[in-house]
Amino acid sequence: MEFTRERVSAIWKSGAFALGTRLRVNDDAPLDGADRPDSIRYRPDIDGLRAIAVLAVLAYHAFPRAVPGGFAGVDIFFVISGYLITGIIIRQMLEKRFSIANFYARRILRIFPCLVVVILVTFVIAWFTFPAAEMEALGTSIRGAAAFIENFVLHEQIVGYFDPHAERLPLLHLWSLGIEEQYYIVWPAALLLISRWRVRRAAIVGALALGSLFICLLTPPIDSAWAFYSPTTRAWELLAGSLVGLCLCNGSVEAVRSVATALALAGLAAIAFVFWAFNAGSHWPDLRTAVPVSAATALIATANTTVHRRILSARPLIFIGRMSYPLYLWHFPLIAFAKMNMNGAVPALLMSELLALSALLAWFTYRFIEQPIRFGVAAIRWRVAPLAAAMAATGLIGIAAVITRGLPARFPQPIRNFMLSGTETESHWRRAACLLMRQPASEFAPECAGHGGRPLLLIWGDSYGAALYPGLLHFSAERRYDVAQYTASACPPLIGYSPSERPYCKSINDDVLLRINRLRPDVVILDATWGQIETVLREGLPRTVALLKAMNITNIVIIGPPPSWQGGGLSQNILYYYRETQQVLPVRTFHGSTDAWTQQRDALLHELSRELGVRYISVRDVFCNESGCLSRTGPNDSELTAFDSGHLTVPGATFLAARTMDDLLDTIVPLRQ
């Protein structure tokens, strides 16, 4: 069938769309004379659905216990985006005026203005408040956002969306924008290709959606972070909206009003169910994600029912929906900055005020930045080119923050050398080789077993164990011993430990136990953050020690937690202390420390070690006394002992090793003679 302008007009007037209603497109950006706002059918209920989605996300980030499944609002956004973008492309294809260049120009005018402003404001705030490590991480995020790959960046940084410390990344929420932007890049060309088979294109899109869903469901738990951030495992959500857009454009979906109303009510009820029945502990996305996706699809496919007219088209929801994009952009950086500066404990009143401020900034950005740029009188190229240049400039800012390891030049000279980014230390951890980062145990490198020397000290633990490795290595040649390292991020050496956010820990620990049995090390060192709840430690440590002793491993040492520091860690405390006093943080201090927690955990581990008949080394006793804990060491106290909330620097690990080496080696002296 040929789609002439007369045929398109007849289809529009026939009302054969959306269960007896007309297709309306909620993208009212005029880019040329042929694309006037009055030529586009506007659906206020879509803005209402946007409002529900963004309010759920805001509520989840601000008050996660109140709306534990609010993160699913992003899945609703994906469906809406797929529907709207496909509708725009198909409509313009039918009118024989679709242009990929025009499409990308429209996306730039829609996305870039608010995004550039929010990124730059976030950077300016971070310039005055962030220590080096946080600024370097922010630079990585800015670089990823400017290149439309923030979702991949977060995966490479080993930052899970539900991780406890992820909320401290001001631009974490841009992962979803990365997926949408990747869809915008690929989908127009793909849809043009699919449209060569016009009769079958809905079936092709449906098959693509099912394929993406199958890939998502078949992704093993160990790759759950990849499933969350990957466009491959998320595409089915966008394609669900695209399929609705195609079906409505074809006029192929019709139903009686009562059925449409029932579907709309079911969709709204399902969305409410998701927001309060699911939580951050749920593996996501998975089959349950089909609930919000199907609900959003049902609400979009139906129209002009009581649900759409009375609920989704309510004026307050329309108002919020129209500025949902800048609202989504603004809220998370404000919340992240507050949590960083208040050690995560933001009062409910202040959190409510931050949401109100987000709404105010969103309205201001929408009214005075986004709208004038999108609908300005200047030619498209004079609006698009500066926006592209501005986005490129933000990318260069991010690159500069990464290359310089956090832009240290912004710090006063007396504390500049103490503003560590963490890369100075992590480069010694053998990351991704002997410190696994969301990798299977099979990826432990051969060198993790040491170099064949004896006696052999084997470190088994998480990243705190990896931080100990360079300290032990420092004395290995002098004291004539070898060091093996089998560590995994966020995986304490507890057999059977398998938290939902780190499902691979169990298999890794099982594998390490087998390696210990083969290597027969002279000393096994258990070193971890030890931040798990007490019941986990009381169950896991005895189980682990019993299995080691069953292998005739008799020299077992538990290393206690090091001094811990509030907020962004020791570097941040030094920065804040200097700004308050114009002095460097004292060498020994309790300022900014969480020593009460360290003491409690130290006592618990000491008690467990006694009960299990293994040696215990109190790191707190090495670093702390009644005057405080060591914040600096080395020549003229020039080197920090930790670079964040607790991970030891190389000088800190060397300091610890020098004072505990005799305890580690004394029991194996006969083996060395």
Side-chain angles (χ1 to χ4, degrees):
M1 181 188 303
E2 287 295 322
F3 284 88
T4 63
R5 284 186 177 272
E6 292 74 16
R7 175 58 181 164
V8 171
S9 178
I11 292 176
W12 277 90
K13 293 178 181 179
S14 69
F17 308 101
L19 304 177
T21 62
R22 295 170 181 158
L23 171 68
R24 302 166 183 179
V25 181
N26 281 42
D27 191 325
D28 52 354
L31 294 181
D32 53 52
D35 189 18
R36 300 188 306 273
D38 60 1
S39 69
I40 299 173
R41 299 285 184 173
Y42 169 68
R43 283 183 60 173
D45 57 285
I46 296 294
D47 276 330
L49 188 58
R50 276 174 167 158
I52 291 173
V54 76
L55 290 175
V57 174
L58 265 64
Y60 170 72
H61 288 149
F63 308 106
R65 293 184 179 179
V67 190
F71 57 86
V74 174
D75 302 280
I76 296 172
F77 271 123
F78 286 159
V79 179
I80 294 173
S81 294
Y83 163 71
L84 293 177
I85 294 304
T86 301
I88 291 169
I89 296 173
I90 291 296
R91 175 174 53 83
Q92 293 184 355
M93 286 172 57
L94 293 175
E95 296 175 358
K96 300 189 182 301
R97 59 185 182 85
F98 176 73
S99 161
I100 289 183
N102 185 286
F103 173 85
Y104 289 147
R106 182 190 295 272
R107 291 302 93 206
I108 289 173
L109 291 176
R110 173 75 171 101
I111 295 171
F112 282 24
C114 296
L115 182 59
V116 169
V117 170
V118 170
I119 289 176
L120 291 179
V121 170
T122 299
F123 174 76
V124 170
I125 296 174
W127 177 277
F128 295 103
T129 61
F130 272 15
E134 281 71 16
M135 179 58 87
E136 183 177 359
L138 179 65
T140 303
S141 291
I142 291 175
R143 183 179 61 182
F148 320 131
I149 56 170
E150 176 64 359
N151 49 324
F152 295 124
V153 166
L154 289 168
H155 182 261
E156 289 300 315
Q157 287 181 309
I158 322 296
V159 177
Y161 181 75
F162 300 119
D163 287 355
H165 297 294
E167 60 190 10
R168 296 174 179 269
L169 297 175
L171 299 181
L172 173 75
H173 62 320
L174 297 188
W175 72 269
S176 62
L177 193 59
I179 287 179
E180 289 202 15
E181 289 166 336
Q182 289 148 26
Y183 166 80
Y184 298 154
I185 291 171
V186 173
W187 187 237
L191 189 55
L192 283 173
L193 179 63
I194 292 170
S195 292
R196 295 175 60 184
W197 301 278
R198 188 169 297 162
V199 176
R200 298 184 179 89
R201 62 185 175 188
I204 295 172
V205 173
L208 291 173
L210 286 175
S212 171
L213 176 59
F214 286 145
I215 293 173
C216 176
L217 298 179
L218 292 175
T219 303
I222 194 171
D223 293 324
S224 59
W226 173 250
F228 190 93
Y229 290 128
S230 171
T232 307
T233 54
R234 290 285 191 170
W236 65 278
E237 302 179 45
L238 291 143
L239 290 172
S242 299
L243 186 60
V244 174
L246 280 174
C247 291
L248 298 185
C249 281
N250 292 336
S252 58
V253 181
E254 296 185 9
V256 296
R257 185 65 57 197
S258 59
V259 173
T261 301
L263 283 173
L265 285 171
L268 202 59
I271 287 175
F273 172 78
V274 168
F275 290 161
W276 281 279
F278 295 169
N279 56 65
S282 304
H283 178 63
W284 201 267
D286 63 359
L287 193 57
R288 287 167 292 183
T289 312
V291 178
V293 171
S294 299
T297 301
L299 286 167
I300 294 172
T302 55
N304 203 30
T305 69
T306 301
V307 173
H308 296 81
R309 293 193 307 270
R310 300 294 179 85
I311 300 177
L312 296 181
S313 296
R315 287 179 180 269
L317 288 183
I318 293 175
F319 176 76
I320 295 171
R322 291 190 69 81
M323 64 176 192
S324 58
Y325 172 58
L327 182 57
Y328 179 79
L329 291 181
W330 277 115
H331 85 283
F332 197 82
L334 297 179
I335 292 175
F337 283 127
K339 287 186 175 181
M340 288 191 69
N341 286 279
M342 304 186 74
N343 201 29
V346 182
L349 179 59
L350 177 57
M351 190 65 79
S352 300
E353 292 171 346
L354 290 174
L355 293 182
L357 177 59
S358 301
L360 180 62
L361 290 171
W363 176 83
F364 184 89
T365 309
Y366 173 78
R367 176 66 180 81
F368 297 106
I369 296 177
E370 178 185 339
Q371 292 295 296
I373 292 176
R374 289 181 70 190
F375 305 129
V377 296
I380 295 175
R381 64 180 179 274
W382 295 116
R383 285 178 281 155
V384 170
L387 287 174
M391 186 60 75
T394 63
L396 292 176
I397 289 173
I399 292 172
V402 173
I403 290 176
T404 61
R405 293 185 174 179
L407 300 169
R410 60 198 168 96
F411 300 119
Q413 186 62 44
I415 63 169
R416 187 171 297 171
N417 291 336
F418 299 134
M419 296 295 103
L420 304 181
S421 70
T423 49
E424 309 91 346
T425 297
E426 291 180 1
S427 61
H428 297 269
W429 290 359
R430 302 193 287 182
R431 183 186 178 103
C434 302
L435 172 64
L436 298 185
M437 314 296 294
R438 297 189 188 276
Q439 301 160 265
S442 59
E443 294 195 24
F444 275 123
E447 61 266 25
C448 302
H451 300 90
R454 288 287 175 173
L456 177 64
L457 280 60
L458 186 145
I459 304 171
W460 178 12
D462 60 14
S463 56
Y464 275 46
L468 177 64
Y469 170 75
L472 294 182
L473 183 67
H474 180 80
F475 296 102
S476 61
E478 175 188 341
R479 300 294 295 267
R480 292 181 299 161
Y481 62 83
D482 201 359
V483 187
Q485 175 195 351
Y486 289 102
T487 54
S489 176
C491 292
L494 302 173
I495 292 297
Y497 180 73
S498 182
S500 58
E501 67 275 12
R502 294 288 192 274
Y504 48 82
C505 285
K506 183 181 184 303
S507 60
I508 288 176
N509 283 330
D510 290 343
D511 179 86
V512 173
L513 198 63
L514 295 175
R515 293 174 187 269
I516 290 173
N517 195 31
R518 290 197 300 268
L519 288 171
R520 314 302 301 174
D522 301 291
V523 181
V524 171
I525 301 169
L526 307 180
D527 191 4
T529 316
W530 305 123
Q532 294 72 35
I533 61 174
E534 183 173 336
T535 54
V536 170
L537 295 179
R538 287 191 178 276
E539 293 174 2
L541 270 175
R543 185 186 301 118
T544 302
V545 170
L547 290 170
L548 288 172
K549 288 185 174 182
M551 299 175 181
N552 292 321
I553 303 294
T554 56
N555 291 323
I556 304 169
V557 180
I558 296 177
I559 303 290
S564 52
W565 307 91
Q566 295 177 358
L570 190 51
S571 283
Q572 187 178 72
N573 284 322
I574 285 182
L575 175 61
Y576 288 178
Y577 187 86
Y578 186 85
R579 286 178 175 166
E580 293 173 4
T581 66
Q582 296 303 302
Q583 295 179 352
V584 180
L585 188 71
V587 174
R588 280 197 180 273
T589 182
F590 288 120
H591 179 86
S593 77
T594 56
D595 190 57
W597 179 89
T598 307
Q599 286 191 63
Q600 181 274 332
R601 195 47 51 108
D602 193 55
L604 171 63
L605 290 166
H606 192 79
E607 173 194 341
L608 286 172
S609 300
R610 248 190 344 261
E611 293 174 358
L612 297 172
V614 300
R615 284 181 291 160
Y616 179 69
I617 293 178
S618 171
V619 180
R620 184 189 179 276
D621 287 350
V622 174
F623 282 92
C624 306
N625 59 25
E626 63 279 357
S627 301
C629 297
L630 278 176
S631 64
R632 291 179 280 139
T633 186
N636 300 315
D637 301 318
S638 60
E639 297 169 317
L640 290 189
T641 56
F643 71 85
D644 59 4
S645 60
H647 289 93
L648 295 176
T649 60
V650 173
T654 304
F655 180 88
L656 175 63
R659 283 152 183 79
T660 59
M661 190 55 58
D662 289 339
D663 288 340
L664 289 172
L665 296 178
D666 276 352
T667 59
I668 56 172
V669 168
L671 295 173
R672 304 171 61 222
Q673 292 178 344

